[in-house]
Structure formats: C-alpha cells, structure tokens
Amino acid sequence: MDGLNVSIAFFFLVVGVCQVLRWFSKRLLSLGTHGCLAREFVGSLQLCMSCLELRMLMEIGPWGGGFGLDVVLTLLFLLSAVHGASFTGASTNPTVSVQEFLLLQSSLAVTVAELLAQAAGTGTGWALTRLYWSWELTQLHFIQNLIAPECSSSIRASLPHAAFVEGSCSFLFHLILLRVRQSHPLYRVPALAATVTFLTYTAGPSTGAFFNPALATASTFHCSGNSFWDYIQVYWLGPLAGMLAALLLFQGNIPRLFQKNLLYGQKSKYKVPKAKVAAQVEGEKPQQKRKRGKNSSEPRA
C-alpha cells in the first residue's frame, strides 16, 4: 500500500501546484484570451498528470500493488469531483470546446486557442509524469518504466465497435453536461464525476474510456498495436460524433450551423386552457350586443 500512498500524495501535489498556477495567472493575466489560455493549459496539465497516474494504478495495482478496482474507481470519482470544482470554467476537452463554439458561446479564434492550450497542457503533463515515473519512487513506478517502451494499444475491440464505444461515452457525457451546465456546482460536480466513473467502469475494458481526444492522444497514441488513423477514428471522430448527436438531441438543432429546430416543434411558453378561451369569447358577445344597442338608441342630429 506504500505505492498507493505515494500516488495519493502525488495527486495532492499536482492539484496544489495547479491551484498556485491559477492564482498567479489571475493576478498577472487579463480576464480575456490570455486568462482563458492559462485556464485551459493548467486544467489540461492537471487532468493529464492525474489521469496518467490513475491509469497506471488501474493497470498495475490489482496484481502489483495489492489493491482492487474499487479503490481505483473511488479515487477516480474523488479526482473527477476535485477537477470539476477547481477548473474554474476550463473545458480541458476538445469536444467541449467545439460544443461551446457550436452553441455560439465562443468564437472561432477563441476555440482554436483553447485547443492549442489543451494540446500544450496535455503534452507538458505527459512529459512531467514520465519524468516523475523515472524516479521510481515505488515498485509500481519501477514496473511502469519497464513496460512503458513496449506499451500496447488501449483498443481491445474491433475498430467499428471501439469507435462506437467512445462515441457512446461522449454522447452520454455531453448529454448530462448539457443538462446540468446551468445547475449549482453542488449538483453539477457530483453528477459529472459519477458519469465519468460509470463510463470508465463500463467502457474501460474496450477502449480505455477516454472520450477526451487530447487525453487519449497523450496516453495511447504512441503505443503499438494500431495505426495513427485507427486512433484518429476511435479517439477523435468517435467522441466528436457523440458530441454532435448529444447536442442535436438536446437542442433539436446546432445553432452555429442552422437555426431551424429539426426535432422539436416551437411551442408557446404560456398555455391558455381552451375552456377559459371559450368563456372569454362568450363573455365578449353580450358586451358587443349592448354596445350596438346603445349606439343605435342615441339620437341622431
């Protein structure tokens, strides 16, 4: 269990350092594009380093560390909740950034800048985590260093099935994200953390359940077993298709592409009961008759 304690200390250290970086970025940078880029970079750095260490525990822990999958899933839920509470508006996911662009919540320039910041953050997180593993502080890290040069692909199913799994995970994640995005953080953060934990538990054996193209690129694109185009189809095109399907189902349209609602009819926000409308019409008829009688009884000049 010493290896698990070191990993937990690593998680605390990563979150603490990233919080300090966020504090400095708020003090030194403006609230515009520079602040947005800093949030995305720091959030992607935190997410990548935490997830790489957690995936190492998930793969090696059951037979090399003496703890089961329940411990790793508990850590995943807690880390997801901490990430959701500390990201302060950063998406740290290319599909979320593209979704905000399609919802007219960000411009093309801001979206491209966010994608570049996410790529830089995940790349830096991957390099720092590999450096941390090279210190071999625990037996788990020693084993990870031995198997890292010959890592195998996380795709353990046929290519169409794997793309469907990643797309389905992205679909469910974005559907819940759209539903709770305006909710109070007290409800939004646990809901998203539970969703991530459930999807990782169910889809992890097939594809690793990344449903985050940037994170998948840093974690598994360098491993052997599949071509670069295979990885693109599963970990980029699959999640993007799932995000588009969730957005279309939730909104009925894609605001950036077309305004017409394709799935749901436009209904009035306020409904008036038919009986009330009929009573109003019947009540207006005697008033109209009295007005006509009054007008006819007036003397003519």
Side-chain angles (χ1 to χ4, degrees), residues 135-196:
W135 297 342
E136 297 182 356
L137 299 178
T138 67
Q139 183 180 2
L140 299 177
H141 296 148
F142 174 74
I143 298 173
Q144 175 64 30
N145 279 336
L146 290 178
I147 65 177
E150 299 180 359
C151 65
S152 58
S153 171
S154 297
I155 301 176
R156 304 180 183 92
S158 63
L159 201 62
H161 178 70
F164 176 77
V165 169
E166 283 292 310
S168 300
C169 290
S170 178
F171 171 79
L172 182 59
F173 173 76
H174 281 276
L175 199 61
I176 295 178
L177 177 63
L178 289 167
R179 180 66 181 85
V180 302
R181 59 180 173 171
Q182 301 297 336
S183 303
H184 192 276
L186 185 62
Y187 306 105
R188 182 180 69 251
V189 171
L192 293 177
T195 302
V196 171

Side-chain angles (χ1 to χ4, degrees), residues 153-257:
S153 171
S154 297
I155 301 176
R156 304 180 183 92
S158 63
L159 201 62
H161 178 70
F164 176 77
V165 169
E166 283 292 310
S168 300
C169 290
S170 178
F171 171 79
L172 182 59
F173 173 76
H174 281 276
L175 199 61
I176 295 178
L177 177 63
L178 289 167
R179 180 66 181 85
V180 302
R181 59 180 173 171
Q182 301 297 336
S183 303
H184 192 276
L186 185 62
Y187 306 105
R188 182 180 69 251
V189 171
L192 293 177
T195 302
V196 171
T197 305
F198 170 75
L199 293 176
T200 302
Y201 174 73
T202 56
S206 299
T207 62
F210 291 99
F211 52 93
N212 183 327
L215 187 60
T217 302
S219 301
T220 193
F221 270 42
H222 62 281
C223 295
S224 60
N226 289 93
S227 65
F228 180 77
W229 176 240
D230 292 342
Y231 288 129
I232 290 294
Q233 293 181 70
V234 174
Y235 295 116
W236 278 87
L237 299 183
L240 285 172
M243 179 272 295
L244 290 174
L247 182 59
L248 187 61
L249 179 63
F250 186 83
Q251 291 279 127
N253 68 334
I254 300 178
R256 178 69 66 174
L257 302 180

Side-chain angles (χ1 to χ4, degrees), residues 4 54-63 65-77 197-198 200-205:
L4 181 61
L54 191 62
R55 295 191 70 83
M56 184 273 297
L57 294 177
M58 188 176 295
E59 294 174 358
I60 303 176
W63 57 272
F67 50 87
L69 185 61
D70 55 339
V71 176
V72 180
L73 291 177
T74 302
L75 285 175
L76 175 60
F77 175 81
T197 305
F198 170 75
T200 302
Y201 174 73
T202 56

Side-chain angles (χ1 to χ4, degrees), residues 2 9-11 26 28 48 86 89 103 106 133 152 189 192 201 206 228 249 272 279 282 288-290 293:
D2 292 338
F10 173 76
F11 294 141
K26 289 180 181 179
L28 300 177
C48 182
S86 62
L103 287 171
S106 63
W133 287 343
S152 58
V189 171
L192 293 177
Y201 174 73
S206 299
F228 180 77
L249 179 63
V272 180
E282 292 178 357
Q288 293 177 357
K289 291 181 179 179
R290 286 195 295 269

